[in-house]
Amino acid sequence: MLLIYTHKITPRLTYTMRQLFTRILGVEITFTTKVEDFIKHSGAKITYTKQALQNEFFVRSNDLLFEQGINDFQITVRDWNGVPCFFSAGERSNIPFDIFSASFYLLSRYEEYLPHVKDVHGRFPPKESLAHMNNFLRQPVVDIWAYRLREMLLEKFPDLEYTSREYKYTSLIDVTTSHSYAYRGLVRSVAGLFYDLGTLKLRRVVDRVKVWFDPQSDPYDNFEYLVDLHKKLQLKSIFFFQFAAYSTYDKNVSPNHNKFRYLIKSISDYSTVALAASYSSFTNVELLKKERKDLAGVINRSVDASRMRYNRIQLPQSYRDLIEAEFTDDYTMGYTHELGFRAGTCSTFYFYDINLEIQQPIRVHPFAVHDYALNNFKNKEAMLEGVNGIYQQIQNVEGEFLSIFSNELLGGKVNRVDWKDFYAQFIKRFHV
């Protein structure tokens, strides 16, 4: 048991300490604000306050974990033996920066509460993030800091007990458009045909007519291939199905189509099925509830996990809506067009609501690789090399690697890459 002395125990402090010590490092902790209890404790202990008490392990705090609300910090990123860090703590601190405040800043997505210019879909742009601007977006710095902290504590307290964790890989499959041409209804199919003819997309015309006679030849229908591949590799996967009415940004097969419902039910026999929330439900919690309920009715079990369309997150409201809709897990934390760690971590964490100053009961699972981000690379070899750097970082801290691929992209060739073949290489290389 590690004893942590501090001058004030706050929700931010307990949230951060439990994430770093308990969930990432497997170290049991307890807190005290009484100097006498700290001094007489004979086991592992640290001080987290402004001044050291004796010659103990000391991390000098700044004010972030003892404040409320949002303040605009002037942050300077420095180097800690090859790893970026911020919130400098001075020479007397055993660690040269406030590791706990820096971790909270990233995990809470503090910067996303600050004024910023959103993109066309209302998203926080990665280029405005501290990590992107200081070139550490592809490093899970929270986990790296935590592992270094444990090494330093073990040097001082060799008897400190901890539970090790293991590297894990999970493949997330986005199914926001299950079929390109099949099962789309007469009106949408005929309208699509005339549009393709009018824009001289003759290849699409041929493919469309072919699928009308043989629905299983639809280029997006690669579900049997994916299930067989996952079973062969004993791979953990989650399929996120959109189950919503047609709209400008939601163009999946009708949720009332029996073939589509049968597909979802058959996938649920082999893999976890979750909800790809529609674009329309982003600010409509009642619609979000309905989509969850309707999808659960198809698979005859609870739907607990979600992904927001286009990785849209509006803090803190998006997570409040998900909680109200009774989701327990969300897989939206990441960037569509950038590899890396949006929250600075490759570990699952609970969402902290800064406006309410409480830890909310929803687990956030950050992903590191989105297939559309791989389009930034010139070829397949460059893609794998870029991802390998991410993989090595996660392996070093025994974290969880989450990747997102869509059945749409897997159903075609973009930048002369056969995406189905690339995906098979990807998971064979990174799932162990």
Side-chain angles (χ1 to χ4, degrees):
M1 181 74 74
L2 176 71
L3 178 64
I4 301 170
Y5 168 80
T6 185
H7 58 281
K8 183 181 180 182
I9 299 173
T10 67
R12 292 185 181 188
L13 182 137
T14 56
Y15 166 82
T16 306
M17 296 293 184
R18 284 173 181 153
Q19 177 62 24
L20 266 65
F21 285 112
T22 308
R23 301 190 185 98
I24 294 178
L25 299 180
V27 174
E28 292 300 318
I29 57 173
T30 188
F31 303 96
T32 186
T33 56
K34 296 179 179 180
V35 174
E36 57 271 24
D37 289 346
F38 183 81
I39 291 174
K40 70 183 181 183
H41 183 73
S42 59
K45 55 186 178 181
I46 68 171
T47 298
Y48 179 65
T49 186
K50 293 293 184 183
Q51 297 290 334
L53 299 177
Q54 296 174 315
N55 192 30
E56 75 279 12
F57 194 98
F58 170 58
V59 179
R60 188 178 189 277
S61 67
N62 71 14
D63 296 326
L64 180 59
L65 298 191
F66 306 99
E67 296 176 339
Q68 292 188 346
I70 300 293
N71 292 302
D72 194 358
F73 294 95
Q74 295 298 317
I75 295 178
T76 301
V77 175
R78 303 184 187 278
D79 178 83
W80 181 35
N81 298 330
V83 179
C85 66
F86 53 98
F87 292 144
S88 294
E91 293 181 1
R92 290 202 59 196
S93 179
N94 285 76
I95 294 178
F97 72 108
D98 185 345
I99 180 176
F100 305 116
S101 288
S103 296
F104 177 80
Y105 186 89
L106 293 173
L107 293 169
S108 68
R109 304 308 303 127
Y110 197 97
E111 61 189 351
E112 297 192 32
Y113 288 83
L114 298 170
H116 59 271
V117 178
K118 300 181 186 301
D119 72 4
V120 66
H121 295 296
R123 298 176 295 192
F124 178 77
K127 287 181 171 56
E128 291 207 15
S129 70
L130 182 71
H132 189 281
M133 290 188 290
N134 290 276
N135 300 312
F136 65 87
L137 183 59
R138 296 189 186 182
Q139 294 176 275
V141 289
V142 172
D143 303 83
I144 295 170
W145 296 337
Y147 269 56
R148 284 196 178 181
L149 172 59
R150 187 173 68 188
E151 288 176 9
M152 296 173 71
L153 287 171
L154 284 169
E155 289 177 7
K156 193 172 184 67
F157 308 106
D159 295 331
L160 177 67
E161 294 183 356
Y162 65 92
T163 302
S164 297
R165 60 182 187 175
E166 295 181 350
Y167 169 83
K168 294 186 292 184
Y169 171 75
T170 304
S171 178
L172 313 180
I173 305 295
D174 254 345
V175 190
T176 54
T177 309
S178 66
H179 295 80
S180 184
Y181 311 115
Y183 313 135
R184 293 193 158 267
L186 180 62
V187 174
R188 288 174 66 182
S189 296
V190 171
L193 176 63
F194 280 112
Y195 177 81
D196 291 342
L197 287 169
T199 53
L200 300 179
K201 295 179 179 177
L202 301 183
R203 178 63 188 173
R204 284 180 59 87
V205 171
V206 172
D207 290 343
R208 187 184 293 275
V209 173
K210 179 183 177 183
V211 169
W212 285 353
F213 291 99
D214 179 17
Q216 291 186 336
S217 67
D218 191 289
Y220 292 176
D221 188 356
N222 41 50
F223 301 102
E224 184 176 348
Y225 169 83
L226 292 173
V227 168
D228 288 345
L229 186 60
H230 295 169
K231 286 168 63 178
K232 181 180 178 181
L233 295 173
Q234 297 183 319
L235 184 74
K236 180 183 177 183
S237 63
I238 305 175
F239 284 75
F240 291 84
F241 281 93
Q242 188 179 90
F243 206 70
Y246 183 88
S247 72
T248 303
Y249 294 104
D250 305 312
K251 298 182 179 181
N252 204 358
V253 174
S254 168
N256 296 319
H257 200 293
N258 286 335
K259 293 285 189 180
F260 181 48
R261 298 169 76 93
Y262 176 78
L263 168 66
I264 297 173
K265 183 70 174 69
S266 63
I267 292 290
S268 71
D269 291 336
Y270 302 99
S271 179
T272 301
V273 164
L275 180 70
S278 69
Y279 198 96
S280 302
S281 69
F282 185 63
T283 55
N284 187 339
V285 69
E286 293 305 317
L287 182 57
L288 186 63
K289 291 178 181 179
K290 181 179 185 303
E291 291 176 10
R292 176 179 180 270
K293 180 181 177 182
D294 290 348
L295 182 59
V298 172
I299 63 175
N300 295 318
R301 65 183 70 124
S302 178
V303 174
D304 300 318
S306 65
R307 269 186 46 72
M308 307 298 282
R309 183 74 162 134
Y310 296 154
N311 297 310
R312 300 165 85 206
I313 301 175
Q314 179 66 50
L315 296 180
Q317 194 58 48
S318 294
Y319 286 118
R320 292 179 184 175
D321 289 348
L322 289 170
I323 293 165
E324 186 177 340
E326 298 183 18
F327 288 98
T328 60
D329 297 82
D330 182 66
Y331 291 79
T332 312
M333 185 58 69
Y335 294 122
T336 305
H337 300 291
E338 294 284 347
L339 299 183
F341 306 92
R342 181 171 177 173
T345 185
C346 57
S347 301
T348 299
F349 61 96
Y350 283 91
F351 171 63
Y352 188 90
D353 191 323
I354 293 180
N355 289 349
L356 298 178
E357 294 294 353
I358 58 170
Q359 174 183 297
Q360 293 280 22
I362 186 166
R363 288 183 293 267
V364 179
H365 302 260
F367 67 85
V369 174
H370 198 294
D371 54 5
Y372 286 101
L374 296 173
N375 282 326
N376 298 330
F377 294 86
K378 291 186 293 186
N379 52 47
K380 183 171 64 176
E381 290 69 29
M383 292 178 189
L384 290 171
E385 184 179 344
V387 175
N388 191 62
I390 297 282
Y391 165 72
Q392 293 295 339
Q393 294 275 354
I394 298 173
Q395 272 231 331
N396 289 342
V397 293
E398 303 162 312
E400 183 170 8
F401 186 2
L402 303 180
S403 69
I404 296 175
F405 284 83
S406 67
N407 70 300
E408 292 179 57
L409 204 59
L410 293 175
K413 291 185 178 181
V414 180
N415 295 342
R416 291 174 292 183
V417 173
D418 183 326
W419 280 89
K420 209 151 65 169
D421 177 67
F422 173 79
Y423 176 72
Q425 291 185 53
F426 182 101
I427 60 176
K428 287 174 184 176
R429 183 165 174 175
F430 300 121
H431 87 288
V432 291

